Amino acid sequence: MQIKNICCIGAGYVGGPTMAVIALKCPHINVTVVDANPDKIKAWNGPLDELPVYEPGLAEVVKEARGRNLFFSDDISGNIEKAEMIFMAVNTPTKTEGEGAGMAADLGYVEACARDIAKHSKSDKIVIEKSTLPVRTAEKIKEILEENSTEIHFEILSNPEFLAEGTAIQDLFKSDRVLIGGHETESGQKAVQALVDIYTNWIPKEKILTTNVWSSELAKLASNAMLAQRISSINSLSALCEKTGANIDELSKAIGMDHRIGPHFLKASVGFGGSCFQKDILNLVYLCKYYGLEEVADYWHHVIKINDYQKDRFAQKIIDHFGGDLKGKSIAILGWAFKANTDDSRESAAIYVSEKLYNAGANLLIYDPMVSQKSINRDISFYWNISPKLSQDRIRVMNEALKLKEIDGTAILTEWTEFKDLDFGNLVVFDGRNILKESNKIHQIGR
Ligand code: UDX
Ligand code: UDX
């Protein structure tokens, strides 16, 4: 099947960069990204230094492809109708109410997407799950599509995205693997081939892995769970290092040099953040419970519990240093993003550590080179559940590096390189991200 028009629903961190790269590498295909939020579309069509997603290299890709064969549009129905292939890249947050609240993925947006596709389709479509979804979601999507439209054939594929924020463009250019799950029917395999043909424009064939739909859906959850599990494993050992005098960096290095283990994702930290790890593990735990696998569910749940323990332990270390009370103490929070090179702060460790410090009485001065003041204020009211007004007396969000002399201590919560050059003078520094050279004034996780 020759694909001429692709539509992607969802112009977020995944949909935007992924489609920009597909358009760049496939100039013979028109790629249109649509979104329910017209402001986001406006921003994608706006100046290159104000795109709604910050990713190194993204602006260059958009510059080359935008207007040529990459388009951002708020005409959802027209672009669904025109496309032979539709990607669903809407967000799938953890459910906040109803059955599975706090654990299962909220499929409301995905289901709304499927209803939109059914409503506006006038010809056969290949519908691709890009969003991370629980196993067997394709069944539910098929049900919705067929319930609303009987004449048209919808073939559903799973093609999870493995890009990491901050390196998205690099990851998309040189993926470790591209995973495509399809049904083992003739039409299923034809659809798989159509998607394989798109990726072979730049990904070597041996890196494209085709599986059944359920393996593909589960592989995404399992990959994130395994990555997060390595971080929780090393973070759990950092607590033991502090008791025994072992050094966590030396331990990581020694462990990672075993080729059977490898060096990646063994960096002790104040805890992982980001939109995926916690959500996907909770989702996995929910699935295990649903299928009666209590022991398996408990095993994976502990990855989250260690992560919470690590964030809490780090904040407590600061509180203890000041004698158990932070009233009248000013603490600088350096870094709000969940990792360097992104403006994304979803589930960032900084949010949780700051909340605990704030509740212990601290005055907070917060600075991040990329996360806007507006986003920081929004996170505070969303995650802490307090009104920005109430918090204003003791929280200042800064738009430049801090005057460090005015404060009692600093907590480094994102490994931005610009923090490496700061002169901390005699200030006590709590380094959750291990970016500074060892000094007796610096308290690092694991030391
Ligand atoms: C993605 C994945 O899809 C998610 O499953 C994965 O686990 C994390 O990454 P992401 O791209 O990071 O989500 O989400 P976000 O940046 O919030 O973008 C989603 C976009 O979908 C938003 O721009 C939102 O406006 C749009 N949307 C949402 C729609 O267009 N329609 C909807 O019904 C819901
Ligand atoms: C992750 C997966 O890596 C990616 O494949 C998937 O598509 C989405 O989820 P992302 O969340 O963007 O990507 O970033 P990642 O680089 O995995 O970092 C996640 C968190 O783990 C960050 O807070 C990071 O600082 C932390 N981390 C990472 C550590 O604490 N130690 C490490 O050794 C590595």
Side-chain angles (χ1 to χ4, degrees):
M1 185 195 267
Q2 185 65 27
I3 304 296
K4 294 198 186 86
N5 293 291
I6 287 176
C7 171
C8 171
I9 307 178
Y13 281 91
V14 168
T18 312
M19 292 304 126
V21 169
I22 292 184
L24 182 81
K25 299 290 185 183
C26 308
H28 54 289
I29 300 174
N30 281 330
V31 180
T32 307
V33 190
V34 298
D35 200 288
N37 177 351
D39 290 339
K40 212 166 229 186
I41 293 300
K42 212 185 256 172
W44 277 108
N45 284 321
L48 289 168
D49 55 356
E50 287 171 31
L51 296 177
V53 168
Y54 171 75
E55 276 296 335
L58 174 65
E60 287 78 3
V61 175
V62 172
K63 185 176 177 203
E64 192 164 340
R66 194 172 64 182
R68 178 188 76 185
N69 65 324
L70 172 66
F71 306 96
F72 296 94
S73 163
D74 53 14
D75 176 12
I76 299 178
S77 57
N79 281 295
I80 287 177
E81 194 187 324
K82 202 163 70 183
E84 300 92 29
M85 188 177 261
I86 301 170
F87 285 84
M88 296 194 293
V90 293
N91 41 336
T92 49
T94 303
K95 262 182 142 177
T96 51
E97 52 187 42
E99 202 191 324
M103 285 224 158
D106 183 346
L107 297 181
Y109 297 139
V110 172
E111 289 172 9
C113 241
R115 275 191 290 276
D116 267 357
I117 295 172
K119 191 167 153 203
H120 301 299
S121 292
K122 299 207 169 93
S123 56
D124 294 354
K125 308 281 179 203
I126 298 173
V127 176
I128 302 172
E129 301 173 347
K130 215 18 151 178
S131 306
T132 307
L133 298 166
V135 197
R136 302 203 83 89
T137 305
E139 233 165 34
K140 177 90 192 153
I141 293 174
K142 197 160 178 58
E143 228 171 73
I144 295 175
L145 290 169
E146 288 177 350
E147 197 177 271
N148 290 277
S149 172
T150 48
E151 307 283 290
I152 297 167
H153 180 75
F154 293 101
E155 194 60 49
I156 298 161
L157 301 181
S158 158
N159 172 219
E161 188 44 67
F162 293 102
L163 65 80
E165 287 176 34
T167 52
I169 300 300
Q170 206 178 303
D171 295 344
L172 287 162
F173 281 171
K174 283 194 171 187
S175 308
D176 283 350
R177 80 309 210 175
V178 165
L179 182 57
I180 302 174
H183 289 294
E184 284 140 339
T185 55
E186 201 188 327
S187 61
Q189 290 308 299
K190 267 194 192 157
V192 167
Q193 192 53 47
L195 189 54
V196 168
D197 290 345
I198 289 174
Y199 282 111
T200 44
N201 282 292
W202 78 99
I203 302 286
K205 271 204 175 76
E206 63 277 12
K207 293 205 166 175
I208 302 178
L209 183 64
T210 59
T211 65
N212 74 30
V213 178
W214 324 124
S215 307
S216 172
E217 287 179 339
L218 185 56
K220 170 70 194 204
L221 290 184
S223 294
N224 275 348
M226 297 280 285
L227 288 169
Q229 172 259 329
R230 284 174 69 103
I231 303 171
S232 279
S233 295
I234 206 72
N235 282 345
S236 72
L237 291 168
S238 75
L240 187 58
C241 280
E242 284 170 29
K243 297 281 182 206
T244 57
N247 176 311
I248 194 64
D249 291 337
E250 291 173 356
L251 200 70
S252 286
K253 194 165 179 193
I255 296 169
M257 278 172 79
D258 185 327
H259 76 277
R260 295 168 302 177
I261 298 173
H264 302 293
F265 278 72
L266 285 182
K267 197 165 146 252
S269 66
V270 68
F272 58 75
S275 71
C276 287
F277 282 176
Q278 174 161 309
K279 164 175 77 73
D280 290 353
I281 294 172
L282 287 173
N283 202 341
L284 186 65
V285 170
Y286 182 73
L287 272 172
C288 294
K289 281 184 188 283
Y290 176 84
Y291 288 106
L293 305 172
E294 288 299 328
E295 286 80 359
V296 186
D298 284 351
Y299 173 76
W300 288 109
H301 206 179
H302 263 87
V303 173
I304 303 278
K305 289 185 181 164
I306 288 288
N307 201 47
D308 290 340
Y309 165 75
Q310 189 76 344
K311 290 183 274 193
D312 193 69
R313 206 165 72 75
F314 182 71
Q316 194 59 48
K317 208 171 162 173
I318 299 174
I319 298 168
D320 290 347
H321 175 87
F322 289 103
D325 186 0
L326 294 180
K327 270 199 194 83
K329 302 281 177 214
S330 293
I331 309 286
I333 302 292
L334 292 189
W336 194 259
F338 80 95
K339 62 190 252 192
N341 295 323
T342 180
D343 58 352
D344 191 352
S345 57
R346 287 178 286 183
E347 298 297 338
S348 174
I351 297 171
Y352 295 93
V353 170
S354 311
E355 183 181 15
K356 189 161 168 132
L357 300 181
Y358 179 80
N359 288 338
N363 301 316
L364 301 179
L365 295 97
I366 306 171
Y367 169 70
D368 187 284
M370 196 56 74
V371 184
S372 67
Q373 293 191 4
K374 196 171 145 204
S375 300
I376 294 174
N377 282 321
R378 190 200 53 212
D379 286 341
I380 288 172
S381 53
F382 177 76
Y383 287 98
W384 298 11
N385 209 10
I386 56 171
S387 85
K389 251 196 192 144
L390 204 78
S391 63
Q392 248 156 30
D393 55 337
R394 286 199 285 121
I395 298 178
R396 270 167 67 201
V397 181
M398 320 287 287
N399 58 7
E400 56 181 340
L402 302 161
K403 288 193 185 72
L404 293 164
K405 286 181 203 95
E406 293 168 16
I407 51 189
D408 299 290
T410 294
I412 298 185
L413 292 159
T414 312
E415 65 276 41
W416 286 105
T417 44
E418 73 174 64
F419 299 154
K420 274 188 186 161
D421 305 326
L422 287 177
D423 176 10
F424 291 99
N426 281 328
L427 209 63
V428 54
V429 178
F430 298 87
D431 186 1
R433 290 298 179 178
N434 256 337
I435 61 167
L436 295 166
K437 294 220 161 47
E438 196 176 358
S439 130
N440 53 13
K441 275 179 268 137
I442 293 169
H443 299 244
Q444 286 181 315
I445 278 276
R447 287 179 202 277

